[in-house]
Every structure is written in structure tokens, then in C-alpha cells.
Amino acid sequence: MRRLFCTILLLSPLLLSSIANSAEVNVYSARKEALIKPLLKRFTEETGIKVNLVTGKADALIKRLEVEGKNSPADVLLTVDAARLHRAKQQNLLQKVHSDYLSKHVPQNYRDDEGYWYGLSLRSRVIVYSPERVPGKQLSSYEDLADPKWQKKLCVRSSSNVYNQSLVASLIAHNGAEATEKWAKGLVNNFARSPKGGDRDQVKAVAVGQCDLALVNTYYVGGMLESKVEAEKKAASKVSVFWPNQSSRGAHVNLSGIGITQSAQHKKEAIKLLEYLVSDAAQTWYAKANYEYPVVAGVANSALLKQWGEFKPDAINMDLLGKYNAEAVLLMDRAGWK
């Protein structure tokens, strides 16, 4: 019996190590693997918690969680756009998380009021323009883009794109539905072509003269400027970034964010992951890799983003982008924004 007891004592550190190493967390992510996997690897190295990553389209992952229900293996949903996070909450796919660390580090307007999701990084939907054809001093605000002086000069992607929907939702929140619909009709009248393609395509269209200005997310411009594809670098180098509404509410911002699923079987590990992703080190890496802005105050921007200078962001509560999403979609349709 004494020999058996001694054997157990000798083995116990190995058993504890095995148990510790079995800790894991399952992540459904709408980010490209290259933009999140290295950070998850660091998390595993520092905590011993294994991360099982499933990558997919944002809307498809939300649908998958809905279909899987309580049997979903996912512990964490990482996705883009506040409207999607709002939808996941409304569909009861996420659960409340209380963490003093998260509450301290993530500003209130960049997280759900009840703790269902937290922002990880910010992007702004800005005006890019050809400095050869448009004097920067002529630009001012999103509202001004509906002015007839920009007729046949604006490129933008489809109204089915959630980034455009969130921009319109922010305008509804600030200006009301009636004024925003009038604005949207004026915007449509200024389209240089029917909406098509992604944000990179809008930048390319400005570069080759199909239009003079476009609405795009900042991280697309950053990615193109540092792309290995020479044509993308060349196109991005021909446009300038303008921050709208700097004399009023500030430029529209959106976020990538994260929440713990209703079905989470590894909640303790999931909370550790959320807290890790808003640490200064993770925020610095994440923002640099994605050409996005940190949500945590005091974390430095990447060298490329610093070239565009400081800007005033809209301080709107992100949850409103989801609240007004359905109204924005209907409004855009009535305005003829295809």
C-alpha cells in the first residue's frame, strides 16, 4: 500500500499537467486565419489552453450557431460589425459575461451594455478620393456626399453590405429616418456606376478614374498599401483618406467583436481568451496585423495608421447600429440603393 501511495505521489504532477494541458476553447471566427491564428497561438503558449479554430463567413457562422443550438461545440463567436453581434444577442446565441478586466479595458460604447459581447478592434468607414481631381478642402461630411456637386462622382458597394447598413443606421440614430432617407436618395443620384464589388474595388475605381471618391473601411486601404500585389499597392497609392464630420460628431466607426456562446462548455477558458485579446500586447499585434485601431485606450496605432493622422471618432453606442439595421435596409431599398 505504501508503495502504491508513493507511486501516486510521483505521478500526480504528471496527471495535473495532463489535466492542465487538456484545457481548450472552441472558436468560431469570421476573421481570416492569418489575421487571428498567430495571436491564438500566442494565447496557447502563454496559458496552456488549446484553441480549436473554425473559420467561416460571418453570417454563415451565426446561422450555424442557430442551427446547432445547445449542441453547438462553439464556446466563442468572433465576428465583424456591431450589427451582427447585436443579431447574435437577439437570437439568444450569446450569454452574459461579467469581467472586471473587460469592463475596465473596453470602453462602454464599444461593448454590449449587458455584457453579451465586447469590441476587439475598430475600423472607420471613410471617404477616399483622388487628390488629382478633388481638392481635399471640398470634403466635409457624410451628409455632404448627397450634394448635387458630387453627381456621377461617387463609388460605393451594394446596400446588402453590412458596413454600409451600419453607416446608414448611424445616420438614422443621429439625424432621424426621414432626413436619412432624403440623404440616401441624394447619394444614389450621385453614384458614378451601379454599386458592385468590395471595398478594394471602390479604391481601384477611384484610382483609374471611374469615380472621384468612394466610401470604404480604412483597413482595406491599409491592406492594399502593404499588399504583395503590385496593382493593389499602386491603386491605393493614388487615393487619399478623408475623415468625415470632424467638426461635428466624428467619423463613423465599427468594430470586430467577440462573445461567449450560449452553448459554451469551456466558459472559464473562453473568458480568459476574451481578456487576453484586450490586453495591451494582443491589441498592439491585432491592430497592426489587421490595419485596424485598438479599442483599448493608450495602445499605439501601427506606423501606417499614424500616417493618416489622428481623427475624431463618432462616440455612438455600437448597439444602435444593430438596433437600426432593419430600418436602414428598408430605407436604402426605398432610396434605390441596390
PDB file of all heavy atoms in Angstrom, residues 25-28 65 74-79 85 88-89 93-97 102 112 115-120 256-262 264 270-271 273-274 277:
ATOM      1  N   VAL A  25     -10.561  25.713 -25.789  1.00  0.00           N
ATOM      2  CA  VAL A  25     -11.665  26.609 -26.106  1.00  0.00           C
ATOM      3  C   VAL A  25     -11.913  26.535 -27.607  1.00  0.00           C
ATOM      4  O   VAL A  25     -10.969  26.511 -28.406  1.00  0.00           O
ATOM      5  CB  VAL A  25     -11.361  28.057 -25.643  1.00  0.00           C
ATOM      6  CG1 VAL A  25     -10.125  28.616 -26.314  1.00  0.00           C
ATOM      7  CG2 VAL A  25     -12.555  28.969 -25.884  1.00  0.00           C
ATOM      8  N   ASN A  26     -13.176  26.450 -27.985  1.00  0.00           N
ATOM      9  CA  ASN A  26     -13.564  26.323 -29.393  1.00  0.00           C
ATOM     10  C   ASN A  26     -14.065  27.663 -29.923  1.00  0.00           C
ATOM     11  O   ASN A  26     -15.002  28.239 -29.368  1.00  0.00           O
ATOM     12  CB  ASN A  26     -14.654  25.258 -29.552  1.00  0.00           C
ATOM     13  CG  ASN A  26     -14.189  23.896 -29.062  1.00  0.00           C
ATOM     14  OD1 ASN A  26     -13.050  23.493 -29.306  1.00  0.00           O
ATOM     15  ND2 ASN A  26     -15.052  23.185 -28.349  1.00  0.00           N
ATOM     16  N   VAL A  27     -13.450  28.139 -30.992  1.00  0.00           N
ATOM     17  CA  VAL A  27     -13.738  29.476 -31.510  1.00  0.00           C
ATOM     18  C   VAL A  27     -14.315  29.399 -32.928  1.00  0.00           C
ATOM     19  O   VAL A  27     -13.724  28.768 -33.806  1.00  0.00           O
ATOM     20  CB  VAL A  27     -12.453  30.336 -31.537  1.00  0.00           C
ATOM     21  CG1 VAL A  27     -12.730  31.698 -32.157  1.00  0.00           C
ATOM     22  CG2 VAL A  27     -11.880  30.488 -30.136  1.00  0.00           C
ATOM     23  N   TYR A  28     -15.460  30.040 -33.130  1.00  0.00           N
ATOM     24  CA  TYR A  28     -15.992  30.281 -34.476  1.00  0.00           C
ATOM     25  C   TYR A  28     -15.573  31.700 -34.856  1.00  0.00           C
ATOM     26  O   TYR A  28     -15.959  32.666 -34.183  1.00  0.00           O
ATOM     27  CB  TYR A  28     -17.525  30.189 -34.486  1.00  0.00           C
ATOM     28  CG  TYR A  28     -18.100  28.792 -34.511  1.00  0.00           C
ATOM     29  CD1 TYR A  28     -17.286  27.665 -34.402  1.00  0.00           C
ATOM     30  CD2 TYR A  28     -19.484  28.585 -34.639  1.00  0.00           C
ATOM     31  CE1 TYR A  28     -17.831  26.383 -34.417  1.00  0.00           C
ATOM     32  CE2 TYR A  28     -20.034  27.314 -34.662  1.00  0.00           C
ATOM     33  CZ  TYR A  28     -19.208  26.217 -34.544  1.00  0.00           C
ATOM     34  OH  TYR A  28     -19.752  24.951 -34.568  1.00  0.00           O
ATOM     35  N   LEU A  65     -24.568  28.570 -35.624  1.00  0.00           N
ATOM     36  CA  LEU A  65     -24.863  28.567 -34.189  1.00  0.00           C
ATOM     37  C   LEU A  65     -26.358  28.391 -33.937  1.00  0.00           C
ATOM     38  O   LEU A  65     -26.770  27.681 -33.019  1.00  0.00           O
ATOM     39  CB  LEU A  65     -24.386  29.873 -33.557  1.00  0.00           C
ATOM     40  CG  LEU A  65     -22.894  30.017 -33.264  1.00  0.00           C
ATOM     41  CD1 LEU A  65     -22.593  31.438 -32.800  1.00  0.00           C
ATOM     42  CD2 LEU A  65     -22.437  29.005 -32.219  1.00  0.00           C
ATOM     43  N   ALA A  74     -19.199  25.307 -30.170  1.00  0.00           N
ATOM     44  CA  ALA A  74     -18.533  26.606 -30.086  1.00  0.00           C
ATOM     45  C   ALA A  74     -18.652  27.211 -28.688  1.00  0.00           C
ATOM     46  O   ALA A  74     -19.719  27.203 -28.079  1.00  0.00           O
ATOM     47  CB  ALA A  74     -19.116  27.557 -31.116  1.00  0.00           C
ATOM     48  N   ASP A  75     -17.544  27.732 -28.206  1.00  0.00           N
ATOM     49  CA  ASP A  75     -17.528  28.470 -26.947  1.00  0.00           C
ATOM     50  C   ASP A  75     -17.517  29.974 -27.196  1.00  0.00           C
ATOM     51  O   ASP A  75     -17.980  30.748 -26.357  1.00  0.00           O
ATOM     52  CB  ASP A  75     -16.280  28.117 -26.133  1.00  0.00           C
ATOM     53  CG  ASP A  75     -16.198  26.641 -25.810  1.00  0.00           C
ATOM     54  OD1 ASP A  75     -17.156  26.114 -25.220  1.00  0.00           O
ATOM     55  OD2 ASP A  75     -15.178  25.999 -26.149  1.00  0.00           O
ATOM     56  N   VAL A  76     -16.954  30.373 -28.338  1.00  0.00           N
ATOM     57  CA  VAL A  76     -16.726  31.786 -28.626  1.00  0.00           C
ATOM     58  C   VAL A  76     -17.118  32.099 -30.067  1.00  0.00           C
ATOM     59  O   VAL A  76     -16.845  31.311 -30.976  1.00  0.00           O
ATOM     60  CB  VAL A  76     -15.231  32.142 -28.408  1.00  0.00           C
ATOM     61  CG1 VAL A  76     -14.907  33.519 -28.956  1.00  0.00           C
ATOM     62  CG2 VAL A  76     -14.873  32.060 -26.935  1.00  0.00           C
ATOM     63  N   LEU A  77     -17.758  33.246 -30.267  1.00  0.00           N
ATOM     64  CA  LEU A  77     -18.020  33.777 -31.601  1.00  0.00           C
ATOM     65  C   LEU A  77     -17.213  35.051 -31.768  1.00  0.00           C
ATOM     66  O   LEU A  77     -17.365  35.995 -30.993  1.00  0.00           O
ATOM     67  CB  LEU A  77     -19.506  34.076 -31.797  1.00  0.00           C
ATOM     68  CG  LEU A  77     -19.869  34.792 -33.110  1.00  0.00           C
ATOM     69  CD1 LEU A  77     -19.610  33.882 -34.316  1.00  0.00           C
ATOM     70  CD2 LEU A  77     -21.326  35.256 -33.102  1.00  0.00           C
ATOM     71  N   LEU A  78     -16.358  35.077 -32.779  1.00  0.00           N
ATOM     72  CA  LEU A  78     -15.576  36.266 -33.110  1.00  0.00           C
ATOM     73  C   LEU A  78     -16.017  36.710 -34.496  1.00  0.00           C
ATOM     74  O   LEU A  78     -15.871  35.962 -35.464  1.00  0.00           O
ATOM     75  CB  LEU A  78     -14.078  35.927 -33.097  1.00  0.00           C
ATOM     76  CG  LEU A  78     -13.077  37.079 -33.077  1.00  0.00           C
ATOM     77  CD1 LEU A  78     -11.687  36.552 -32.711  1.00  0.00           C
ATOM     78  CD2 LEU A  78     -12.990  37.822 -34.398  1.00  0.00           C
ATOM     79  N   THR A  79     -16.587  37.897 -34.591  1.00  0.00           N
ATOM     80  CA  THR A  79     -17.137  38.322 -35.873  1.00  0.00           C
ATOM     81  C   THR A  79     -16.931  39.817 -36.096  1.00  0.00           C
ATOM     82  O   THR A  79     -16.369  40.513 -35.256  1.00  0.00           O
ATOM     83  CB  THR A  79     -18.631  37.951 -35.969  1.00  0.00           C
ATOM     84  OG1 THR A  79     -19.081  38.141 -37.315  1.00  0.00           O
ATOM     85  CG2 THR A  79     -19.476  38.772 -35.009  1.00  0.00           C
ATOM     86  N   LEU A  85     -23.197  41.294 -34.150  1.00  0.00           N
ATOM     87  CA  LEU A  85     -23.131  40.961 -32.739  1.00  0.00           C
ATOM     88  C   LEU A  85     -24.480  41.204 -32.070  1.00  0.00           C
ATOM     89  O   LEU A  85     -24.930  40.408 -31.235  1.00  0.00           O
ATOM     90  CB  LEU A  85     -22.040  41.792 -32.062  1.00  0.00           C
ATOM     91  CG  LEU A  85     -20.606  41.415 -32.472  1.00  0.00           C
ATOM     92  CD1 LEU A  85     -19.643  42.540 -32.129  1.00  0.00           C
ATOM     93  CD2 LEU A  85     -20.181  40.123 -31.802  1.00  0.00           C
ATOM     94  N   ALA A  88     -26.745  38.340 -33.051  1.00  0.00           N
ATOM     95  CA  ALA A  88     -26.427  37.119 -32.315  1.00  0.00           C
ATOM     96  C   ALA A  88     -27.003  37.176 -30.902  1.00  0.00           C
ATOM     97  O   ALA A  88     -27.511  36.182 -30.375  1.00  0.00           O
ATOM     98  CB  ALA A  88     -24.913  36.919 -32.265  1.00  0.00           C
ATOM     99  N   LYS A  89     -26.948  38.349 -30.308  1.00  0.00           N
ATOM    100  CA  LYS A  89     -27.535  38.525 -28.975  1.00  0.00           C
ATOM    101  C   LYS A  89     -29.052  38.372 -29.036  1.00  0.00           C
ATOM    102  O   LYS A  89     -29.649  37.671 -28.202  1.00  0.00           O
ATOM    103  CB  LYS A  89     -27.164  39.903 -28.431  1.00  0.00           C
ATOM    104  CG  LYS A  89     -27.864  40.241 -27.112  1.00  0.00           C
ATOM    105  CD  LYS A  89     -27.621  41.689 -26.711  1.00  0.00           C
ATOM    106  CE  LYS A  89     -28.444  42.072 -25.489  1.00  0.00           C
ATOM    107  NZ  LYS A  89     -28.241  43.490 -25.098  1.00  0.00           N
ATOM    108  N   LEU A  93     -28.007  33.645 -28.960  1.00  0.00           N
ATOM    109  CA  LEU A  93     -26.858  32.792 -29.261  1.00  0.00           C
ATOM    110  C   LEU A  93     -25.674  33.079 -28.340  1.00  0.00           C
ATOM    111  O   LEU A  93     -24.718  32.303 -28.302  1.00  0.00           O
ATOM    112  CB  LEU A  93     -26.421  32.992 -30.719  1.00  0.00           C
ATOM    113  CG  LEU A  93     -27.489  32.729 -31.785  1.00  0.00           C
ATOM    114  CD1 LEU A  93     -26.930  33.023 -33.173  1.00  0.00           C
ATOM    115  CD2 LEU A  93     -27.972  31.279 -31.697  1.00  0.00           C
ATOM    116  N   LEU A  94     -25.731  34.194 -27.609  1.00  0.00           N
ATOM    117  CA  LEU A  94     -24.641  34.582 -26.723  1.00  0.00           C
ATOM    118  C   LEU A  94     -25.128  34.630 -25.272  1.00  0.00           C
ATOM    119  O   LEU A  94     -26.329  34.703 -25.024  1.00  0.00           O
ATOM    120  CB  LEU A  94     -24.094  35.959 -27.118  1.00  0.00           C
ATOM    121  CG  LEU A  94     -23.605  36.127 -28.555  1.00  0.00           C
ATOM    122  CD1 LEU A  94     -23.162  37.567 -28.796  1.00  0.00           C
ATOM    123  CD2 LEU A  94     -22.466  35.158 -28.858  1.00  0.00           C
ATOM    124  N   GLN A  95     -24.196  34.591 -24.349  1.00  0.00           N
ATOM    125  CA  GLN A  95     -24.544  34.695 -22.935  1.00  0.00           C
ATOM    126  C   GLN A  95     -23.801  35.856 -22.279  1.00  0.00           C
ATOM    127  O   GLN A  95     -22.764  36.311 -22.764  1.00  0.00           O
ATOM    128  CB  GLN A  95     -24.224  33.398 -22.195  1.00  0.00           C
ATOM    129  CG  GLN A  95     -22.763  33.003 -22.195  1.00  0.00           C
ATOM    130  CD  GLN A  95     -22.507  31.763 -21.327  1.00  0.00           C
ATOM    131  OE1 GLN A  95     -22.486  31.862 -20.100  1.00  0.00           O
ATOM    132  NE2 GLN A  95     -22.323  30.614 -21.983  1.00  0.00           N
ATOM    133  N   LYS A  96     -24.358  36.340 -21.177  1.00  0.00           N
ATOM    134  CA  LYS A  96     -23.742  37.444 -20.448  1.00  0.00           C
ATOM    135  C   LYS A  96     -22.396  37.018 -19.873  1.00  0.00           C
ATOM    136  O   LYS A  96     -22.232  35.885 -19.424  1.00  0.00           O
ATOM    137  CB  LYS A  96     -24.640  37.894 -19.297  1.00  0.00           C
ATOM    138  CG  LYS A  96     -25.919  38.591 -19.700  1.00  0.00           C
ATOM    139  CD  LYS A  96     -26.677  39.031 -18.458  1.00  0.00           C
ATOM    140  CE  LYS A  96     -28.002  39.699 -18.817  1.00  0.00           C
ATOM    141  NZ  LYS A  96     -28.738  40.145 -17.611  1.00  0.00           N
ATOM    142  N   VAL A  97     -21.466  37.953 -19.900  1.00  0.00           N
ATOM    143  CA  VAL A  97     -20.158  37.716 -19.296  1.00  0.00           C
ATOM    144  C   VAL A  97     -19.834  38.902 -18.402  1.00  0.00           C
ATOM    145  O   VAL A  97     -19.883  40.054 -18.844  1.00  0.00           O
ATOM    146  CB  VAL A  97     -19.054  37.577 -20.368  1.00  0.00           C
ATOM    147  CG1 VAL A  97     -17.682  37.504 -19.713  1.00  0.00           C
ATOM    148  CG2 VAL A  97     -19.293  36.356 -21.239  1.00  0.00           C
ATOM    149  N   LEU A 102     -12.465  43.129 -18.472  1.00  0.00           N
ATOM    150  CA  LEU A 102     -13.073  43.551 -19.733  1.00  0.00           C
ATOM    151  C   LEU A 102     -13.774  44.896 -19.580  1.00  0.00           C
ATOM    152  O   LEU A 102     -13.659  45.774 -20.443  1.00  0.00           O
ATOM    153  CB  LEU A 102     -14.059  42.498 -20.224  1.00  0.00           C
ATOM    154  CG  LEU A 102     -13.455  41.176 -20.717  1.00  0.00           C
ATOM    155  CD1 LEU A 102     -14.551  40.141 -20.945  1.00  0.00           C
ATOM    156  CD2 LEU A 102     -12.647  41.375 -21.985  1.00  0.00           C
ATOM    157  N   ASP A 112     -21.372  45.594 -25.309  1.00  0.00           N
ATOM    158  CA  ASP A 112     -22.791  45.486 -25.020  1.00  0.00           C
ATOM    159  C   ASP A 112     -23.059  45.920 -23.582  1.00  0.00           C
ATOM    160  O   ASP A 112     -22.296  45.590 -22.666  1.00  0.00           O
ATOM    161  CB  ASP A 112     -23.247  44.035 -25.226  1.00  0.00           C
ATOM    162  CG  ASP A 112     -24.712  43.838 -24.907  1.00  0.00           C
ATOM    163  OD1 ASP A 112     -25.548  44.403 -25.626  1.00  0.00           O
ATOM    164  OD2 ASP A 112     -25.000  43.136 -23.915  1.00  0.00           O
ATOM    165  N   GLY A 115     -23.188  42.987 -21.315  1.00  0.00           N
ATOM    166  CA  GLY A 115     -22.044  42.078 -21.287  1.00  0.00           C
ATOM    167  C   GLY A 115     -22.132  40.885 -22.224  1.00  0.00           C
ATOM    168  O   GLY A 115     -21.407  39.901 -22.050  1.00  0.00           O
ATOM    169  N   TYR A 116     -22.995  40.974 -23.242  1.00  0.00           N
ATOM    170  CA  TYR A 116     -23.114  39.854 -24.176  1.00  0.00           C
ATOM    171  C   TYR A 116     -21.966  39.826 -25.197  1.00  0.00           C
ATOM    172  O   TYR A 116     -21.660  38.774 -25.734  1.00  0.00           O
ATOM    173  CB  TYR A 116     -24.453  39.908 -24.912  1.00  0.00           C
ATOM    174  CG  TYR A 116     -25.617  39.404 -24.088  1.00  0.00           C
ATOM    175  CD1 TYR A 116     -26.369  40.268 -23.305  1.00  0.00           C
ATOM    176  CD2 TYR A 116     -25.964  38.055 -24.098  1.00  0.00           C
ATOM    177  CE1 TYR A 116     -27.438  39.812 -22.537  1.00  0.00           C
ATOM    178  CE2 TYR A 116     -27.040  37.582 -23.351  1.00  0.00           C
ATOM    179  CZ  TYR A 116     -27.768  38.465 -22.566  1.00  0.00           C
ATOM    180  OH  TYR A 116     -28.812  38.004 -21.811  1.00  0.00           O
ATOM    181  N   TRP A 117     -21.372  40.963 -25.506  1.00  0.00           N
ATOM    182  CA  TRP A 117     -20.240  40.994 -26.429  1.00  0.00           C
ATOM    183  C   TRP A 117     -19.346  42.196 -26.141  1.00  0.00           C
ATOM    184  O   TRP A 117     -19.778  43.171 -25.523  1.00  0.00           O
ATOM    185  CB  TRP A 117     -20.694  41.010 -27.895  1.00  0.00           C
ATOM    186  CG  TRP A 117     -21.654  42.108 -28.283  1.00  0.00           C
ATOM    187  CD1 TRP A 117     -23.005  42.026 -28.384  1.00  0.00           C
ATOM    188  CD2 TRP A 117     -21.315  43.472 -28.622  1.00  0.00           C
ATOM    189  NE1 TRP A 117     -23.545  43.236 -28.761  1.00  0.00           N
ATOM    190  CE2 TRP A 117     -22.540  44.142 -28.906  1.00  0.00           C
ATOM    191  CE3 TRP A 117     -20.130  44.186 -28.716  1.00  0.00           C
ATOM    192  CZ2 TRP A 117     -22.575  45.488 -29.287  1.00  0.00           C
ATOM    193  CZ3 TRP A 117     -20.168  45.532 -29.083  1.00  0.00           C
ATOM    194  CH2 TRP A 117     -21.384  46.158 -29.379  1.00  0.00           C
ATOM    195  N   TYR A 118     -18.092  42.075 -26.613  1.00  0.00           N
ATOM    196  CA  TYR A 118     -17.085  43.115 -26.381  1.00  0.00           C
ATOM    197  C   TYR A 118     -16.327  43.402 -27.677  1.00  0.00           C
ATOM    198  O   TYR A 118     -16.021  42.473 -28.434  1.00  0.00           O
ATOM    199  CB  TYR A 118     -16.094  42.655 -25.305  1.00  0.00           C
ATOM    200  CG  TYR A 118     -16.722  42.500 -23.948  1.00  0.00           C
ATOM    201  CD1 TYR A 118     -17.407  41.329 -23.605  1.00  0.00           C
ATOM    202  CD2 TYR A 118     -16.649  43.515 -23.003  1.00  0.00           C
ATOM    203  CE1 TYR A 118     -17.999  41.178 -22.357  1.00  0.00           C
ATOM    204  CE2 TYR A 118     -17.242  43.376 -21.750  1.00  0.00           C
ATOM    205  CZ  TYR A 118     -17.920  42.210 -21.434  1.00  0.00           C
ATOM    206  OH  TYR A 118     -18.515  42.073 -20.208  1.00  0.00           O
ATOM    207  N   GLY A 119     -16.028  44.668 -27.934  1.00  0.00           N
ATOM    208  CA  GLY A 119     -15.263  45.036 -29.116  1.00  0.00           C
ATOM    209  C   GLY A 119     -13.799  44.662 -28.972  1.00  0.00           C
ATOM    210  O   GLY A 119     -13.240  44.694 -27.868  1.00  0.00           O
ATOM    211  N   LEU A 120     -13.169  44.304 -30.101  1.00  0.00           N
ATOM    212  CA  LEU A 120     -11.750  43.959 -30.114  1.00  0.00           C
ATOM    213  C   LEU A 120     -10.910  44.969 -30.890  1.00  0.00           C
ATOM    214  O   LEU A 120      -9.779  45.253 -30.527  1.00  0.00           O
ATOM    215  CB  LEU A 120     -11.544  42.570 -30.737  1.00  0.00           C
ATOM    216  CG  LEU A 120     -12.046  41.363 -29.949  1.00  0.00           C
ATOM    217  CD1 LEU A 120     -11.713  40.092 -30.716  1.00  0.00           C
ATOM    218  CD2 LEU A 120     -11.441  41.330 -28.551  1.00  0.00           C
ATOM    219  N   SER A 256     -14.773  44.908 -34.844  1.00  0.00           N
ATOM    220  CA  SER A 256     -14.828  43.456 -34.755  1.00  0.00           C
ATOM    221  C   SER A 256     -15.022  43.161 -33.280  1.00  0.00           C
ATOM    222  O   SER A 256     -14.558  43.928 -32.423  1.00  0.00           O
ATOM    223  CB  SER A 256     -13.534  42.814 -35.266  1.00  0.00           C
ATOM    224  OG  SER A 256     -12.457  43.091 -34.401  1.00  0.00           O
ATOM    225  N   GLY A 257     -15.750  42.116 -32.963  1.00  0.00           N
ATOM    226  CA  GLY A 257     -16.059  41.869 -31.558  1.00  0.00           C
ATOM    227  C   GLY A 257     -16.192  40.396 -31.253  1.00  0.00           C
ATOM    228  O   GLY A 257     -16.143  39.543 -32.153  1.00  0.00           O
ATOM    229  N   ILE A 258     -16.383  40.109 -29.986  1.00  0.00           N
ATOM    230  CA  ILE A 258     -16.352  38.721 -29.532  1.00  0.00           C
ATOM    231  C   ILE A 258     -17.351  38.508 -28.402  1.00  0.00           C
ATOM    232  O   ILE A 258     -17.625  39.419 -27.613  1.00  0.00           O
ATOM    233  CB  ILE A 258     -14.917  38.369 -29.069  1.00  0.00           C
ATOM    234  CG1 ILE A 258     -14.715  36.869 -28.912  1.00  0.00           C
ATOM    235  CG2 ILE A 258     -14.547  39.135 -27.806  1.00  0.00           C
ATOM    236  CD1 ILE A 258     -13.246  36.481 -28.786  1.00  0.00           C
ATOM    237  N   GLY A 259     -17.923  37.317 -28.362  1.00  0.00           N
ATOM    238  CA  GLY A 259     -18.857  36.972 -27.299  1.00  0.00           C
ATOM    239  C   GLY A 259     -18.773  35.488 -26.991  1.00  0.00           C
ATOM    240  O   GLY A 259     -18.282  34.704 -27.807  1.00  0.00           O
ATOM    241  N   ILE A 260     -19.240  35.101 -25.825  1.00  0.00           N
ATOM    242  CA  ILE A 260     -19.268  33.695 -25.437  1.00  0.00           C
ATOM    243  C   ILE A 260     -20.635  33.120 -25.774  1.00  0.00           C
ATOM    244  O   ILE A 260     -21.661  33.725 -25.483  1.00  0.00           O
ATOM    245  CB  ILE A 260     -18.959  33.537 -23.934  1.00  0.00           C
ATOM    246  CG1 ILE A 260     -17.517  33.988 -23.655  1.00  0.00           C
ATOM    247  CG2 ILE A 260     -19.157  32.095 -23.482  1.00  0.00           C
ATOM    248  CD1 ILE A 260     -17.103  33.886 -22.209  1.00  0.00           C
ATOM    249  N   THR A 261     -20.640  31.979 -26.413  1.00  0.00           N
ATOM    250  CA  THR A 261     -21.888  31.395 -26.901  1.00  0.00           C
ATOM    251  C   THR A 261     -22.745  30.863 -25.755  1.00  0.00           C
ATOM    252  O   THR A 261     -22.252  30.533 -24.674  1.00  0.00           O
ATOM    253  CB  THR A 261     -21.612  30.237 -27.885  1.00  0.00           C
ATOM    254  OG1 THR A 261     -20.968  29.167 -27.172  1.00  0.00           O
ATOM    255  CG2 THR A 261     -20.733  30.699 -29.036  1.00  0.00           C
ATOM    256  N   GLN A 262     -24.024  30.758 -26.030  1.00  0.00           N
ATOM    257  CA  GLN A 262     -24.970  30.225 -25.058  1.00  0.00           C
ATOM    258  C   GLN A 262     -24.645  28.773 -24.721  1.00  0.00           C
ATOM    259  O   GLN A 262     -24.909  28.300 -23.615  1.00  0.00           O
ATOM    260  CB  GLN A 262     -26.386  30.326 -25.634  1.00  0.00           C
ATOM    261  CG  GLN A 262     -27.498  30.130 -24.634  1.00  0.00           C
ATOM    262  CD  GLN A 262     -27.587  31.255 -23.621  1.00  0.00           C
ATOM    263  OE1 GLN A 262     -27.257  31.065 -22.456  1.00  0.00           O
ATOM    264  NE2 GLN A 262     -28.016  32.418 -24.057  1.00  0.00           N
ATOM    265  N   ALA A 264     -21.632  27.358 -24.578  1.00  0.00           N
ATOM    266  CA  ALA A 264     -20.219  27.193 -24.196  1.00  0.00           C
ATOM    267  C   ALA A 264     -20.021  26.165 -23.086  1.00  0.00           C
ATOM    268  O   ALA A 264     -20.637  26.248 -22.026  1.00  0.00           O
ATOM    269  CB  ALA A 264     -19.647  28.536 -23.766  1.00  0.00           C
ATOM    270  N   ALA A 270     -12.885  30.446 -22.094  1.00  0.00           N
ATOM    271  CA  ALA A 270     -13.364  31.452 -23.046  1.00  0.00           C
ATOM    272  C   ALA A 270     -13.174  32.863 -22.477  1.00  0.00           C
ATOM    273  O   ALA A 270     -12.759  33.782 -23.192  1.00  0.00           O
ATOM    274  CB  ALA A 270     -14.830  31.204 -23.382  1.00  0.00           C
ATOM    275  N   ILE A 271     -13.477  33.055 -21.201  1.00  0.00           N
ATOM    276  CA  ILE A 271     -13.290  34.363 -20.570  1.00  0.00           C
ATOM    277  C   ILE A 271     -11.811  34.748 -20.571  1.00  0.00           C
ATOM    278  O   ILE A 271     -11.449  35.900 -20.835  1.00  0.00           O
ATOM    279  CB  ILE A 271     -13.853  34.366 -19.138  1.00  0.00           C
ATOM    280  CG1 ILE A 271     -15.386  34.260 -19.172  1.00  0.00           C
ATOM    281  CG2 ILE A 271     -13.436  35.636 -18.390  1.00  0.00           C
ATOM    282  CD1 ILE A 271     -16.033  34.143 -17.815  1.00  0.00           C
ATOM    283  N   LEU A 273      -9.664  33.900 -22.779  1.00  0.00           N
ATOM    284  CA  LEU A 273      -9.334  34.299 -24.142  1.00  0.00           C
ATOM    285  C   LEU A 273      -9.803  35.724 -24.416  1.00  0.00           C
ATOM    286  O   LEU A 273      -9.062  36.535 -24.996  1.00  0.00           O
ATOM    287  CB  LEU A 273      -9.968  33.336 -25.152  1.00  0.00           C
ATOM    288  CG  LEU A 273      -9.761  33.694 -26.635  1.00  0.00           C
ATOM    289  CD1 LEU A 273      -8.276  33.746 -26.983  1.00  0.00           C
ATOM    290  CD2 LEU A 273     -10.490  32.709 -27.540  1.00  0.00           C
ATOM    291  N   LEU A 274     -11.027  36.041 -24.022  1.00  0.00           N
ATOM    292  CA  LEU A 274     -11.544  37.401 -24.216  1.00  0.00           C
ATOM    293  C   LEU A 274     -10.645  38.428 -23.527  1.00  0.00           C
ATOM    294  O   LEU A 274     -10.312  39.464 -24.107  1.00  0.00           O
ATOM    295  CB  LEU A 274     -12.970  37.512 -23.674  1.00  0.00           C
ATOM    296  CG  LEU A 274     -14.116  37.276 -24.677  1.00  0.00           C
ATOM    297  CD1 LEU A 274     -14.097  35.852 -25.206  1.00  0.00           C
ATOM    298  CD2 LEU A 274     -15.467  37.582 -24.045  1.00  0.00           C
ATOM    299  N   LEU A 277      -7.356  38.933 -25.379  1.00  0.00           N
ATOM    300  CA  LEU A 277      -7.456  39.670 -26.639  1.00  0.00           C
ATOM    301  C   LEU A 277      -7.589  41.177 -26.458  1.00  0.00           C
ATOM    302  O   LEU A 277      -7.414  41.924 -27.427  1.00  0.00           O
ATOM    303  CB  LEU A 277      -8.620  39.129 -27.481  1.00  0.00           C
ATOM    304  CG  LEU A 277      -8.416  37.720 -28.046  1.00  0.00           C
ATOM    305  CD1 LEU A 277      -9.675  37.230 -28.761  1.00  0.00           C
ATOM    306  CD2 LEU A 277      -7.226  37.667 -28.992  1.00  0.00           C
TER     307      LEU A 277
END
